[in-house]
Amino acid sequence: MIAPGSATIGFVGTGVMGGPMAGHALAAGYRVVVYTRTRERAAALLEAGAEWAASPAALAPLCDAVVTMVGYPTDVEEVYFGDGGLIANARPGTYLIDCTTSSPALAARIARAADERGIHALDAPVTGGDVGAREARLSIMVGGLADDFAAVEGLLQVFGATVVHQGPAGSGQHTKMANQLAIAASMVGAAEALGYAHAAGLDPERVLESIGAGSAGSWTLTNLAPHMLADNFAPGFYVRHFVKDLRIALDSAAELGIELPGAELASRLYESLVAAGYGGDGTQAIWRLYRDR
Amino acid sequence: MIAPGSATIGFVGTGVMGGPMAGHALAAGYRVVVYTRTRERAAALLEAGAEWAASPAALAPLCDAVVTMVGYPTDVEEVYFGDGGLIANARPGTYLIDCTTSSPALAARIARAADERGIHALDAPVTGGDVGAREARLSIMVGGLADDFAAVEGLLQVFGATVVHQGPAGSGQHTKMANQLAIAASMVGAAEALGYAHAAGLDPERVLESIGAGSAGSWTLTNLAPHMLADNFAPGFYVRHFVKDLRIALDSAAELGIELPGAELASRLYESLVAAGYGGDGTQAIWRLYRDR
């Protein structure tokens, strides 16, 4: 049982998601140790009482649980594996919790390698974005052993409003993939609905008034469609990260032997945005592909 | 101005949508005349005080406004055009309001033909389904002249919670098409998310718990995904009607010169359901294409 007052929590990666999560852990009374590639990004946490570790290898042995929130699956591999990685350097009994959105297969591989050293690994990707991280309202989807989930559930509830154990190792990542598949379709639907309305000479904002609250309604239509219509492409969630997620989902679907034509379409559309130089836009930039048709 | 007490409203088509709408008009104090192909379907309305007309031609001259809610664009053509149609038989000054989901081009053609006889035509398709019709909570998307909209707005508010003038003749149908495009994508997204979860060995109901309330959330995920998982394909909205709507939307998009790859995909998937004999299922039957993969 990982409890405030007695437990030390490590955080690897303290960006727009990991930073606020580490802050919530500090505020809840945990001892917090942080490592991030660019030390300046941890400055506020260090001022608030977090301790600094110079590497994942230096951080791991100090901690009862380590939360990782890095960028890509390749970053996850680097942080967990190898001589300088968490698995080689954590004490037996430590809980390693990967909150990065990453590959289900990699999550299962981490869990096996951790288990061989008596370490407990869980995959726990989140949804809710930077706002959800700041306000501790994330939805956290957890894969791993039931006993391990029970041990860290209280810690995860410090960051999240909805914390659900989805099954064995990899199940958190699989759930996040299902989430991204639903979002991908919503983005295509919002862009096509508004693109059609625009081409038909309607006022798309007035169209949203008619269709937003009914059976066509979605979080995307309510929250991102207005940004589309304002040509506001400031990133809440980066196009290039969404492309990564859809690539993981499609690779994983191929391993599972299923076809996801909707996700394949969305992936092609988003890859065309990256190719056109819009990888740093928010996902609502799919509107770029429809507004000028 | 079409007002209760003085105005007579005709209803052509008194099925699951038109029936309750005619009932609300009666309850609001309008004189109501009905025609429907199968007289028994109007029995409850006739008992409640509506009068019967033996044909659209017999109904039209009795009315200040006529609301049509029939099946397909071919039915709309039959009801409006020809010697026995509404346009030939309505008095000048009558308001003809087509609530059928139909083609924007046909709506514009009706408006032109009506105008030549001094008749006011509006297209006013609805969303909200049979429940929305019964509870007078429809969203009604109206195309036509602003003065004509103003004259019938009060009548439409008897059926609808959201009544919005979207622009000239055809604009109501265009708005409804935008609505169906957003729904089509949501259906694909829900089916792919659940299909992936199912194939990955997760409990899809628990996955909904994690993803339903966040940025993947939609009316479809909240209201239809549980029916999918229960293999409950009872129709709220028929697959074959959705196929019709998507066909209209894609034809209309082609006329406007835009491509809608998401809608093309959804249309192919739904057509495959009809081909497999599931045209009488509800739209959530798209799950049939994913659950067994």
Side-chain angles (χ1 to χ4, degrees):
Chain A
M1 182 70 176
I2 301 293
S6 61
T8 301
I9 315 297
F11 284 84
V12 175
T14 57
V16 292
M17 301 297 292
M21 290 164 71
H24 294 310
L26 264 179
Y30 291 98
R31 181 184 164 211
V32 169
V33 186
V34 300
Y35 165 76
T36 198
R37 274 191 293 210
T38 312
R39 182 170 173 159
E40 298 85 72
R41 295 188 76 169
L45 288 166
L46 299 176
E47 269 179 44
E51 297 158 51
W52 175 253
S55 69
L59 176 142
L62 306 175
C63 299
D64 300 296
V66 181
V67 173
T68 52
M69 179 60 102
V70 294
Y72 291 84
T74 49
D75 301 313
V76 174
E77 286 208 66
E78 192 184 321
V79 167
Y80 279 80
F81 292 113
D83 289 347
L86 295 174
I87 294 174
N89 294 284
R91 290 180 269 117
T94 305
Y95 293 86
L96 303 180
I97 307 166
D98 186 23
C99 293
T100 317
T101 294
S102 174
S103 136
L106 176 56
R109 190 150 65 85
I110 288 172
R112 283 193 302 274
D115 186 56
E116 285 171 14
R117 289 210 56 241
I119 294 167
H120 312 284
L122 299 115
D123 49 298
V126 308
T127 69
D130 53 343
V131 178
R134 282 199 302 276
E135 299 179 357
R137 289 191 297 102
L138 295 171
S139 170
I140 311 184
M141 300 152 275
V142 189
L145 297 175
D147 285 351
D148 294 349
F149 174 76
V152 302
E153 187 177 5
L155 171 62
L156 295 177
Q157 280 167 344
V158 168
F159 322 125
T162 307
V163 179
V164 180
H165 183 222
Q166 291 287 352
S171 299
Q173 297 297 352
H174 276 312
T175 304
K176 179 68 186 276
M177 291 302 116
N179 187 77
Q180 302 306 74
L181 293 171
I183 290 178
S186 282
M187 298 300 307
V188 171
E192 295 205 348
L194 297 180
Y196 178 94
H198 178 68
L202 304 178
D203 172 351
E205 295 192 20
R206 198 180 297 180
V207 169
L208 281 181
E209 213 181 304
S210 281
I211 77 175
S215 48
S218 66
W219 188 95
T220 297
L221 218 48
T222 301
N223 293 281
L224 294 183
H227 292 318
M228 292 184 187
L229 296 180
D231 283 350
N232 172 6
F233 302 126
F237 186 61
Y238 287 117
V239 165
R240 59 171 168 262
H241 286 167
F242 200 42
V243 165
K244 171 202 74 164
D245 292 359
L246 291 174
R247 179 56 37 218
I248 295 171
L250 289 169
D251 287 349
S252 182
E255 285 165 26
L256 295 167
I258 59 169
E259 284 177 31
L260 301 173
E264 281 161 22
L265 169 64
S267 180
R268 280 197 302 279
L269 294 173
Y270 275 102
E271 278 170 9
S272 78
L273 281 177
V274 171
Y278 299 121
D281 278 0
T283 49
Q284 71 274 21
I286 191 172
W287 176 235
R288 291 182 184 279
L289 304 177
Y290 287 90
R291 65 174 174 177
D292 300 322
R293 284 190 183 175
Chain B
M1 183 70 178
I2 300 294
S6 61
T8 300
I9 314 297
F11 284 84
V12 174
T14 57
V16 292
M17 302 297 293
M21 291 164 70
H24 294 311
L26 264 180
Y30 291 99
R31 180 183 165 211
V32 169
V33 185
V34 300
Y35 165 75
T36 196
R37 274 192 293 210
T38 312
R39 182 169 174 161
E40 298 85 72
R41 295 188 75 171
L45 287 167
L46 298 177
E47 268 178 44
E51 297 158 51
W52 175 252
S55 68
L59 176 143
L62 306 174
C63 299
D64 300 294
V66 180
V67 173
T68 53
M69 178 61 100
V70 295
Y72 292 84
T74 49
D75 302 312
V76 174
E77 288 208 66
E78 194 185 320
V79 166
Y80 278 81
F81 292 112
D83 289 348
L86 295 174
I87 294 175
N89 293 282
R91 290 180 270 116
T94 304
Y95 294 86
L96 303 181
I97 307 166
D98 186 22
C99 292
T100 316
T101 294
S102 174
S103 137
L106 176 56
R109 191 150 64 86
I110 288 172
R112 284 194 300 274
D115 186 58
E116 286 171 14
R117 289 211 54 242
I119 294 167
H120 313 283
L122 298 114
D123 49 300
V126 306
T127 69
D130 51 344
V131 178
R134 283 198 302 275
E135 300 180 356
R137 289 192 294 104
L138 296 169
S139 170
I140 310 184
M141 300 151 274
V142 189
L145 298 175
D147 284 352
D148 294 349
F149 174 76
V152 302
E153 187 177 5
L155 170 63
L156 295 177
Q157 280 167 344
V158 168
F159 323 126
T162 308
V163 179
V164 180
H165 183 223
Q166 291 288 351
S171 299
Q173 298 297 353
H174 276 311
T175 303
K176 178 68 185 276
M177 291 303 117
N179 186 76
Q180 302 306 74
L181 293 171
I183 290 179
S186 281
M187 298 299 309
V188 171
E192 295 204 349
L194 297 179
Y196 177 93
H198 178 68
L202 304 178
D203 171 352
E205 296 192 17
R206 199 180 298 178
V207 170
L208 281 181
E209 216 182 302
S210 281
I211 76 175
S215 49
S218 66
W219 188 95
T220 297
L221 218 50
T222 301
N223 293 281
L224 294 183
H227 291 319
M228 292 183 187
L229 296 180
D231 282 350
N232 172 6
F233 302 126
F237 186 62
Y238 287 117
V239 164
R240 60 172 169 262
H241 286 166
F242 200 42
V243 164
K244 170 202 72 165
D245 292 359
L246 291 174
R247 180 55 37 218
I248 294 171
L250 289 169
D251 287 349
S252 182
E255 285 164 26
L256 295 167
I258 60 169
E259 284 178 30
L260 302 173
E264 281 162 22
L265 169 64
S267 180
R268 280 197 302 279
L269 294 173
Y270 275 102
E271 278 170 10
S272 78
L273 280 178
V274 171
Y278 299 122
D281 279 358
T283 49
Q284 72 274 23
I286 191 173
W287 176 235
R288 291 182 184 279
L289 304 176
Y290 287 90
R291 65 172 175 178
D292 300 323
R293 281 186 185 176

